[in-house]
Amino acid sequence: MSTASFPRVESPRFEHHRRPVGIGEPAPRLSWTVVTDDLPGWTQRAYEIEISDESGATLTATGVVESEESVLVPWPGTELGSRQRRGVRVRVHGHDGSASDWSPWSWAETGLLEPVHWHAGAAAPPRELLGAPDGPALLLRRDFTVRGPVAAARLYVTARGLYEIEINGEAVGDEVLAPGWSSYSHRLRYRTHDVTALLRGGGNAVGATLADGWYRGRVGFNGGRTGVYGDRTALIAQLEITYTDGTTDRVVTDGDWRCASGPVTSASLYDGEAYDARLVPAGWSSAGFDDASWLPADVLDHDATLLVAPTGPPVRRTETLSPVETLTGPAGETILDFGQNISGRLRIRVQGPAGHTVSLRHAEVLEDGALSLRPLRDAAALDTYTLRGDDTAEEWEPRFTIHGFRYAQIIDWPGELEESGVQAVVCHTDMRRTGHFSCSDPLLNRLHENVVWSMRGNFVDIPTDCPQRDERLGWTGDIQVFAPTASFLYDSAGTLTSWLADLAAEQAALGTVPHYVPWVDLLFPAEPAAAWGDAAAVVPWVLYQRFGDLGILRAQYPSMKAWVDQVAALAGNSHLWDEGFQFGDWLDPAAPADEPGKSRTDHALVATAYHAWSTQILADTAGLLGHEEDATRYAALAAAVREAFRGEFVTPTGRLAADTQTAYALALHLNLLDKPEQRERAGRRLVELVTQDGFRIATGFVGTPLICDALAAVGAHDTAYRLLTQRECPSWLYPVTMGATTIWERWDSLLPDGTVNPGEMTSFNHYALGAVADFLHRTVAGLAPAAPGYRRLRIAPRPGGGLTHASAELHTPYGPASVTWTTEEGTLTVTATIPPGTVADIDLPYAGTTPTEVGAGTHTFTGPYRPA
């Protein structure tokens, strides 16, 4: 057998971590991907795992374990304690008798796993330095001594507020807006940094800049709130130094830290940042700086049980864009067009006299040639930089704010503005890209790219609704509908696992799933609402289906159960959820601009449909987790809710009381109709409604993600394609024809005449309506999961809409999978790549064919085809 015929194991992975340093799991589950170049149909029969310590000594050797599992395999060694580093390598054996060499070593290191291992206090700026919320960012520092050769040094750090930290004048880490936003009252994430290379013998210094951020600054709409979590920011940092002789030192936030004001004179997530470069104390984060005039920091108590290691990546700078055009506004103003709507900020290189201030204003769109600022509501989105007056160009990027923008107005730039002097820095959660799609229609390709950019713009630590106005909240309804798309485009499991932990914590404290997580008490009370609160059940289920992680269901089960029980109590013996507040089919295009909840579909119908769905999800979850009594009870409840739905909203022939596209999409997609003749009539009626509406969108947040799937489920693929490829408003492609580079909140956020929709809510970066991308992946291209984690795939493209080719690629937990199809002269050719260790159901639209099963490898199928 040639060497090319042996399987090869790539570096093992730990849980859902991209960089497994400072992890919080004492027994991290392991995953690995097998590459088999010339072994079609290869499946794993067994594996071997070795675990070593830093010295290379073997701690665990499993021997040959007869198992086909390779995703989230239980940790085979002893549980890890705090600060422990372990290497793992894997070898696999195939059913065909093949065996791999050992994989490369992968290393993981735990953080501080027990509260008793935290010795740091919370160093807070004294009150006399604090301004009003969203005021200055303050500097904290202290000196320390390194007394010998260093073997290793780790910094464990977080803050009440936003922080950036330096050692000896060098930045620690590359995170943006650290520590991110979580439900601070319940969970505060810290990060672990290897800072060994930043230390030097003798005198050293550590310094931090601390801003209000979500902790103390303004958060939310309708005027927002400040001081949501407290009125004092604080740094919590613990530097641990291990010397080559085995001794250790610890530097923590305590009474030895000193504080002063700095160059950031104001910092607001919504309003922007003001920076005066003349106020930078030279060398302030280096050893030997004279801080005698600085004030001592106050040391506050903090609850170390709230400190948790992250499960997903932080926000980072992920891309830099240059302007594509320099425009002149109607008042002569200079406006840069970056060609893409993003979340991020500007980086400038500027030279001019000391004290001169450059202002940077941001907006998503232009109206009458000028920045359209009204959609920002009460977010000023204005950054200012006051120059030092250096002999060379000064470079600056704000650090404690973020904006949603495509256009930037540059005000009072000294001298001639060159396009190289201003760049846009894209910032979002640094998730690994996993899924791609393309087809022969450039408008659909742009639509899909818009979905990707809207996900990037709105995954800024948590999944938000928008990145630009005075809101940016973790709306539960948005991610509930978008989770399948998010799970395809990016490895979002770690990020959403963290958000779900916050959801469960807020739910336990409030007695219900709030409308957004983290919760901030604004205009709405915390009360249950269908499709929004159902994120408690739907999102964990989607993550299980897409990533094969039963642990997420196990962790979220109490939350899922509490949600279903609450709604069941509200519905009572009738099993109809027909009372209380509901968002309904939010932003139905027929709703008035200032009444987005005034949809055509009965709110009780939507609520009861979701109650049935979440209850069935809970029943299925209980069965998977071995809770047999719960599984039986909730399956019966789900059946009763479906029966109640039919009794209240469905005629014997299959017509619905709410004669809307959303109502039929819900009934069909959620399997609420039990008789074939009802499904057939409901399907025909849905086609009739879509046709009557001229193949234009007539659905809001609830119906839009389901409408194409519902049509496809009844065989109306042609209707689905006509709806998908419609260009007139309202439609998915109308914004594309209007130059959109992200998904809009409203179908007509920009009206045909180029004016902005007059509604108060008019975002140009809102991913929810982009949930249709999951249909592009599963049905247009034909790549879908048929078992959790894509252990079994479904290859079932359904060409149409005049497309001549389409493809999808996905890095599944088992490895890369792809589907490509082309049509030419009545022939459909499909090529599918199936990862090692998996199988696929091939269901192609050839006349007279039946689904078949194939194993790992690349397979090509050709046959006669007539488009739908």
Side-chain angles (χ1 to χ4, degrees), residues 166-171 205 285-286:
E166 304 174 17
I167 292 179
N168 296 324
E170 298 291 332
S285 63
S286 297

Side-chain angles (χ1 to χ4, degrees), residues 749-793:
S749 286
L750 195 67
L751 301 178
D753 64 2
T755 59
V756 174
N757 187 293
E760 184 186 39
M761 299 178 353
T762 307
S763 162
F764 292 87
N765 198 345
H766 237 78
Y767 57 57
L769 299 179
V772 70
D774 197 49
F775 179 79
L776 298 178
H777 307 148
R778 291 182 292 100
T779 304
V780 175
L783 177 56
Y790 293 85
R791 183 129 193 203
R792 176 180 289 270
L793 295 86

Side-chain angles (χ1 to χ4, degrees), residues 512-526:
T512 191
V513 179
H515 304 322
Y516 40 82
V517 173
W519 173 248
V520 180
D521 189 4
L522 298 167
L523 180 64
F524 299 103

Side-chain angles (χ1 to χ4, degrees), residues 588-589 600 661-662 686-700 704 707 711 719-734 747:
D588 180 329
R600 289 167 285 189
Q661 292 183 26
T662 291
L686 178 57
V687 171
E688 292 166 2
L689 289 172
V690 174
T691 304
Q692 288 173 12
D693 284 322
F695 304 99
R696 296 180 182 86
I697 288 290
T699 52
T704 297
I707 183 71
L711 290 166
T719 304
Y721 269 106
R722 293 189 67 177
L723 185 66
L724 179 65
T725 58
Q726 172 64 257
R727 301 183 185 187
E728 296 182 7
C729 188
S731 69
W732 282 291
L733 294 186
Y734 165 74
W747 299 109

Side-chain angles (χ1 to χ4, degrees), residues 334 350 356-359 385 387 409-415:
T334 299
V350 60
H356 183 86
T357 297
V358 175
S359 299
Y385 179 74
L387 282 72
Q409 182 178 342
I410 312 301
I411 304 168
D412 292 333
W413 187 272

Side-chain angles (χ1 to χ4, degrees), residues 141-148 150 166-169 195-207 239 241 243 251 285-289:
R141 73 173 308 279
R142 67 157 291 175
D143 292 314
F144 63 96
T145 300
V146 171
R147 55 182 175 80
V150 175
E166 304 174 17
I167 292 179
N168 296 324
V195 295
T196 309
L198 298 182
L199 303 186
R200 56 185 179 229
N204 291 256
V206 56
L239 172 62
I241 306 169
Y243 297 99
V251 179
S285 63
S286 297
F289 176 80

